[in-house]
């Protein structure tokens, strides 16, 4: 599978969770981002928010029970997923 296609699939899996969480905190901004996503692009601000969100929400860290708890979240996000979203955003022309 081509890397960009794999990165896009990760974005397609995670963006809905980001939008759902964002709607609880700032419904108006989330609605704008949802409309941008539906049109196939994100504004620079929304892209920054997504990049920050995916970084903060990494849940699959590879830590075992002795190293620390695994954060809970609506979706599993690995370090590789975070990197994929960052690559996808960069391929869309966003600075990450």
């Amino acid at each position: 599978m081509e890397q960009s296609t794999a990165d896009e699939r990760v974005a397609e899996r995670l963006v809905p969770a980001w939008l759902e969480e964002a709607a609880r905190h700032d419904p108006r901004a989330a609605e704008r981002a949802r409309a941008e996503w539906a049109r196939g692009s994100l504004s620079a601000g929304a892209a920054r928010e997504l990049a920050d969100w995916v970084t903060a929400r990494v849940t699959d860290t590879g830590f075992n029970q002795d190293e620390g708890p695994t954060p809970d979240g609506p979706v599993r996000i690995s370090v590789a997923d975070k990197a994929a979203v960052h690559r996808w955003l960069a391929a869309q022309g966003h600075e990450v």
Side-chain angles (χ1 to χ4, degrees), residues 9-10 14-15 18 20 30 48 50 57 62 65 69 80 88 95-96:
R9 286 186 182 178
V10 172
L14 296 179
V15 167
W18 165 63
E20 181 180 320
R48 275 192 307 278
L50 174 58
R57 298 302 184 277
Q65 292 292 354
W88 179 80
E95 289 189 33
V96 181

Side-chain angles (χ1 to χ4, degrees), residues 30-44:
E31 190 54 40
R32 281 192 306 270
R34 188 178 309 281
E36 292 169 1
W37 173 251
R39 287 190 308 269
S41 66
L42 294 174
S43 66

Side-chain angles (χ1 to χ4, degrees), residues 22-88:
R24 290 193 300 269
H25 301 288
D26 188 343
R28 190 178 291 181
E31 190 54 40
R32 281 192 306 270
R34 188 178 309 281
E36 292 169 1
W37 173 251
R39 287 190 308 269
S41 66
L42 294 174
S43 66
R48 275 192 307 278
E49 290 292 324
L50 174 58
D52 290 348
W53 178 85
V54 76
T55 298
R57 298 302 184 277
V58 170
T59 53
D60 189 2
T61 61
F63 289 133
N64 63 33
Q65 292 292 354
D66 294 333
E67 295 170 299
T70 302
D72 289 327
V75 292
R76 299 294 301 167
I77 302 173
S78 69
V79 173
D81 291 337
K82 178 195 84 156
V85 170
H86 285 204
R87 280 191 307 269
W88 179 80

